[in-house]
Amino acid sequence: MTAFSVSIEQGVAILSMDLPGEPVNKLSPGVVAEFKDVFFERLQRDDAVRAIVIISGKPDVFIAGADIDQFLTIRNAEEGTAMDQLGQELINRVAACPKPVVAAIHGACLGAGLELALACTWRIATDHPKTQLGLPEVQLGILPGAGGCQRLPRLIGVRAALDIILAGKSERAPKAFKLGMVDELVHPAILRDTAVRAALRLAAAGRPRRHHRGGLQASLLDWNPLGRRIVYRQARATVLQKTGGHYPAPLAALKAVQTGMERGMEAGLRVEREEFGRLAVSAVARQLINVFFATTALKKDDGVPAGTPAKPVQRIGVVGSGFMGAGIAGTAAVQAEVEVRLKDTDLARVGKGLKLARAILDGRLKRRRLTRYQYERMTALLTGTGNWTGFGRADLVIEAVFEDLEVKHQVIAEIEAVVPAEAVIASNTSTIPIARIGEGMRHRERFLGMHYFSPVDRMPLLEVIPAEFTDPTAVATAVQFGRRMGKTVIVVADRPGFWVNRILSPYLNEAGLLLEEGVPIEVIDRAMTDFGFPVGPVTLLDEVGFDVATKGGGVMHQAFGDRLRPSGVLQQLVADERLGRKNGRGFYLYEDGKKGGVDESVYPIVGIKPLAGTDELMVRNRLAYAMLNEAALAISEGVVRSPRDGDIGAIFGIGFPPFRGGPLRMIDAESAKQAVNVLEGLRLAHGDRFEPCEALVAMARDGTRYYV
Ligand code: 3H9
């Protein structure tokens, strides 16, 4: 392996890293050994070398961090600590190098990549959108273990550093510059030359003197031990509130930062490596690392045989300018940067839709994710029409009209009449089978489902649903376009509810049944937020809307029979003109769009009195196992192609707790046998809907698992 090459310019050694045969640069023990050899044995010792520049030979990655594959080989905490120590030693030696070292950063500079950069004398980054600097470790269930918890707070202050470390955030280069993480911001074309010049300057003038930024507030809170105590306390409270205590890594990182800042760098580094060892072998980290690899693998999987061509998409049409249609239009413009034509029956509706779509761009401009120039350009990509003008040039048309088969048939026929022969046509239905919608089409081989989740700009999942008649090229086109929109895409079978709504259905029904039995709203929701969901099922019903949920529930009941019979609660509420959050009348109170406490007036409407003293474990098991059993049944019917797709769909589609790895990984973790036992108990107490599905019973009998 030769990951490193060196060239010398005016006494400056330019050390370029380009790991052969790999898409990214990453640090493994082998690479660390090679780096040490070149850096310390050759360049540091060579009197002709006055300064060193570290740069990447990869097009869009500086260094993506430590090699995550290696973490899976760690067998115990001691081995993890030893691995971490290797990284720390390397980076400490770079920090102690008597010659100036300049990091020339273009592309992802993450984890140990940033930790290495932080140990350099000077950091120059390109102002390119691909240049991101961050410490994403806690998202993998570990902590920055190669000095990141020490050097970042010393450079930019504890508040800004904790903001990045505890959330596992990455910052684009301009923000990183503003925070003081990088010293210079340049165009990619002049990165190398600027780095050489900086190296020569530093070799002549010595190390730069750094001053604390941020004025009085910073001196009180970042650079004063008493002020920092307040910061640590607040950070701890925020972490506990956000993680519900399920994720140990952010707290460990906080301990490493605090120890380092208050008791010195060496003590802090010790905490980093001990905690790294402990966390690296934890069940939570294993699951989060699985999620990382599953998501990465999905970036390359079009759901059709490899080599299936996809059609290029430059212009899309979106039909239906409601909340979904507008969300698709706005997200397509901002993420995929394609021309978008939004169509509805009259111009007033189109205008409303365009306004909603533009709100997505406005939000990004406000949060400085877009420059004013990008914003103007993307806004110009969005146009509307009350008739079909412009659709004659569309490569892909997505239909997002009312969930009614007849309406959809008519709209699809109109689309077919105006689009080019090779255009792909998709329906954003959430309930109606794709085969039914496409039945009258002239060229149905180009038709499929693209099921987005609401709000489209924020929900990371897209289900692509081919019918039996769909051509694989159309599938590849939809999947690749979905990815350009920033989505993680799973290809699922054309069965009622597809994957996400299928497994959600018995879970939401169970919430309704629990309510009917008098279990208080907040108890139901707390059971599932304690389980690790971002919101409980009752809050979710408020978000989805009772009209939509009732309709969806009806479709699922019709398709699957009594097992998926919804409770009557929602219908009673709809009759009372309650629709959930959207009309400010749900299970919870809403004031100016803000969610308040439980709306107690719901109970008499549905004729129940909330019970005191419910068994919360029973509530949790009923909800969770209703979903697990359905997931096991649906995958046995081939609704998803693999357990990987099923788990990622559940995590990204409905917020299934990532630390549990998804419903199928959860069944594996506790064993199918245990799942069957719990379901049998629930069946005895609460009815046949809990009958464990055949596939799960077979797995329990044979001792098999979803993942080997
Ligand atoms: C760390 O640094 C711990 C330290 O604090 C302490 C240590 C002592 N390792 O995502 P892509 C692979 S923890 C292994 O499709 P993109 C990826 O699996 C690390 N593999 O590309 C895929 O492989 P394949 C903290 C990695 O352009 C290929 O590269 N760092 C790693 O969409 C292409 O990836 C992170 O958490 C890695 N570190 O996005 C960063 N990184 O082709 C994780 C990538 O064989 N990485 N691969 O399936 C990322 O966020 C994205 O991959 C990145 C590129 C933004 C870099």
mmCIF file of all heavy atoms in Angstrom, residues 26-41:
data_model
loop_
_atom_site.group_PDB
_atom_site.id
_atom_site.type_symbol
_atom_site.label_atom_id
_atom_site.label_comp_id
_atom_site.label_asym_id
_atom_site.label_seq_id
_atom_site.Cartn_x
_atom_site.Cartn_y
_atom_site.Cartn_z
ATOM 1 N N LYS A 26 -9.254 7.099 4.563
ATOM 2 C CA LYS A 26 -9.649 6.783 5.943
ATOM 3 C C LYS A 26 -8.427 6.252 6.674
ATOM 4 O O LYS A 26 -7.498 5.737 6.048
ATOM 5 C CB LYS A 26 -10.805 5.776 5.947
ATOM 6 C CG LYS A 26 -10.583 4.580 5.048
ATOM 7 C CD LYS A 26 -11.832 3.731 4.888
ATOM 8 C CE LYS A 26 -11.547 2.557 3.940
ATOM 9 N NZ LYS A 26 -12.620 1.610 3.836
ATOM 10 N N LEU A 27 -8.450 6.370 7.998
ATOM 11 C CA LEU A 27 -7.272 6.006 8.782
ATOM 12 C C LEU A 27 -7.464 4.655 9.455
ATOM 13 O O LEU A 27 -8.340 4.496 10.291
ATOM 14 C CB LEU A 27 -7.002 7.087 9.840
ATOM 15 C CG LEU A 27 -6.717 8.493 9.285
ATOM 16 C CD1 LEU A 27 -6.650 9.521 10.412
ATOM 17 C CD2 LEU A 27 -5.419 8.517 8.484
ATOM 18 N N SER A 28 -6.660 3.701 9.062
ATOM 19 C CA SER A 28 -6.668 2.383 9.702
ATOM 20 C C SER A 28 -5.272 2.181 10.284
ATOM 21 O O SER A 28 -4.357 2.953 9.967
ATOM 22 C CB SER A 28 -6.960 1.314 8.657
ATOM 23 O OG SER A 28 -5.951 1.376 7.674
ATOM 24 N N PRO A 29 -5.043 1.145 11.118
ATOM 25 C CA PRO A 29 -3.704 0.953 11.678
ATOM 26 C C PRO A 29 -2.617 0.895 10.596
ATOM 27 O O PRO A 29 -1.532 1.465 10.763
ATOM 28 C CB PRO A 29 -3.831 -0.373 12.432
ATOM 29 C CG PRO A 29 -5.276 -0.415 12.847
ATOM 30 C CD PRO A 29 -6.027 0.230 11.719
ATOM 31 N N GLY A 30 -2.896 0.259 9.453
ATOM 32 C CA GLY A 30 -1.908 0.172 8.377
ATOM 33 C C GLY A 30 -1.566 1.551 7.817
ATOM 34 O O GLY A 30 -0.395 1.882 7.610
ATOM 35 N N VAL A 31 -2.592 2.366 7.603
ATOM 36 C CA VAL A 31 -2.380 3.708 7.054
ATOM 37 C C VAL A 31 -1.626 4.571 8.071
ATOM 38 O O VAL A 31 -0.716 5.334 7.718
ATOM 39 C CB VAL A 31 -3.738 4.358 6.688
ATOM 40 C CG1 VAL A 31 -3.556 5.804 6.266
ATOM 41 C CG2 VAL A 31 -4.425 3.569 5.587
ATOM 42 N N VAL A 32 -1.976 4.406 9.356
ATOM 43 C CA VAL A 32 -1.310 5.174 10.411
ATOM 44 C C VAL A 32 0.187 4.844 10.412
ATOM 45 O O VAL A 32 1.038 5.742 10.484
ATOM 46 C CB VAL A 32 -1.949 4.872 11.792
ATOM 47 C CG1 VAL A 32 -1.072 5.367 12.940
ATOM 48 C CG2 VAL A 32 -3.334 5.526 11.870
ATOM 49 N N ALA A 33 0.518 3.557 10.266
ATOM 50 C CA ALA A 33 1.922 3.143 10.273
ATOM 51 C C ALA A 33 2.655 3.789 9.093
ATOM 52 O O ALA A 33 3.769 4.310 9.237
ATOM 53 C CB ALA A 33 2.013 1.621 10.201
ATOM 54 N N GLU A 34 2.006 3.788 7.938
ATOM 55 C CA GLU A 34 2.648 4.363 6.759
ATOM 56 C C GLU A 34 2.829 5.878 6.908
ATOM 57 O O GLU A 34 3.857 6.435 6.549
ATOM 58 C CB GLU A 34 1.800 4.043 5.522
ATOM 59 C CG GLU A 34 2.616 4.085 4.256
ATOM 60 C CD GLU A 34 1.759 3.921 3.010
ATOM 61 O OE1 GLU A 34 0.726 3.232 3.096
ATOM 62 O OE2 GLU A 34 2.111 4.507 1.980
ATOM 63 N N PHE A 35 1.788 6.513 7.465
ATOM 64 C CA PHE A 35 1.849 7.968 7.682
ATOM 65 C C PHE A 35 3.035 8.302 8.597
ATOM 66 O O PHE A 35 3.821 9.204 8.318
ATOM 67 C CB PHE A 35 0.539 8.448 8.319
ATOM 68 C CG PHE A 35 0.468 9.935 8.548
ATOM 69 C CD1 PHE A 35 -0.132 10.768 7.604
ATOM 70 C CD2 PHE A 35 1.002 10.511 9.696
ATOM 71 C CE1 PHE A 35 -0.206 12.140 7.812
ATOM 72 C CE2 PHE A 35 0.944 11.877 9.911
ATOM 73 C CZ PHE A 35 0.335 12.701 8.964
ATOM 74 N N LYS A 36 3.147 7.518 9.677
ATOM 75 C CA LYS A 36 4.231 7.778 10.641
ATOM 76 C C LYS A 36 5.578 7.689 9.951
ATOM 77 O O LYS A 36 6.463 8.526 10.156
ATOM 78 C CB LYS A 36 4.188 6.718 11.749
ATOM 79 C CG LYS A 36 3.189 7.017 12.846
ATOM 80 C CD LYS A 36 3.354 5.961 13.905
ATOM 81 C CE LYS A 36 2.438 6.153 15.071
ATOM 82 N NZ LYS A 36 2.335 4.945 15.891
ATOM 83 N N ASP A 37 5.716 6.659 9.137
ATOM 84 C CA ASP A 37 6.978 6.431 8.471
ATOM 85 C C ASP A 37 7.346 7.625 7.578
ATOM 86 O O ASP A 37 8.445 8.168 7.669
ATOM 87 C CB ASP A 37 6.845 5.142 7.638
ATOM 88 C CG ASP A 37 8.189 4.675 7.169
ATOM 89 O OD1 ASP A 37 9.110 4.665 8.008
ATOM 90 O OD2 ASP A 37 8.325 4.375 5.967
ATOM 91 N N VAL A 38 6.395 8.036 6.738
ATOM 92 C CA VAL A 38 6.685 9.131 5.803
ATOM 93 C C VAL A 38 6.843 10.446 6.562
ATOM 94 O O VAL A 38 7.800 11.196 6.352
ATOM 95 C CB VAL A 38 5.532 9.287 4.773
ATOM 96 C CG1 VAL A 38 5.851 10.397 3.780
ATOM 97 C CG2 VAL A 38 5.279 7.996 4.045
ATOM 98 N N PHE A 39 5.919 10.719 7.468
ATOM 99 C CA PHE A 39 5.870 12.038 8.101
ATOM 100 C C PHE A 39 7.037 12.233 9.082
ATOM 101 O O PHE A 39 7.793 13.197 8.982
ATOM 102 C CB PHE A 39 4.528 12.205 8.812
ATOM 103 C CG PHE A 39 4.241 13.610 9.272
ATOM 104 C CD1 PHE A 39 3.436 14.449 8.514
ATOM 105 C CD2 PHE A 39 4.781 14.110 10.451
ATOM 106 C CE1 PHE A 39 3.163 15.747 8.920
ATOM 107 C CE2 PHE A 39 4.528 15.400 10.865
ATOM 108 C CZ PHE A 39 3.714 16.227 10.103
ATOM 109 N N PHE A 40 7.154 11.290 10.026
ATOM 110 C CA PHE A 40 8.135 11.515 11.097
ATOM 111 C C PHE A 40 9.538 11.063 10.699
ATOM 112 O O PHE A 40 10.513 11.724 11.020
ATOM 113 C CB PHE A 40 7.703 10.811 12.386
ATOM 114 C CG PHE A 40 6.337 11.246 12.838
ATOM 115 C CD1 PHE A 40 5.281 10.350 12.865
ATOM 116 C CD2 PHE A 40 6.103 12.554 13.209
ATOM 117 C CE1 PHE A 40 4.017 10.745 13.256
ATOM 118 C CE2 PHE A 40 4.828 12.967 13.595
ATOM 119 C CZ PHE A 40 3.784 12.070 13.615
ATOM 120 N N GLU A 41 9.623 9.917 10.011
ATOM 121 C CA GLU A 41 10.954 9.388 9.708
ATOM 122 C C GLU A 41 11.591 10.117 8.527
ATOM 123 O O GLU A 41 12.798 10.291 8.495
ATOM 124 C CB GLU A 41 10.890 7.879 9.415
ATOM 125 C CG GLU A 41 10.301 7.035 10.551
ATOM 126 C CD GLU A 41 10.979 7.310 11.891
ATOM 127 O OE1 GLU A 41 12.213 7.464 11.908
ATOM 128 O OE2 GLU A 41 10.263 7.405 12.918
#
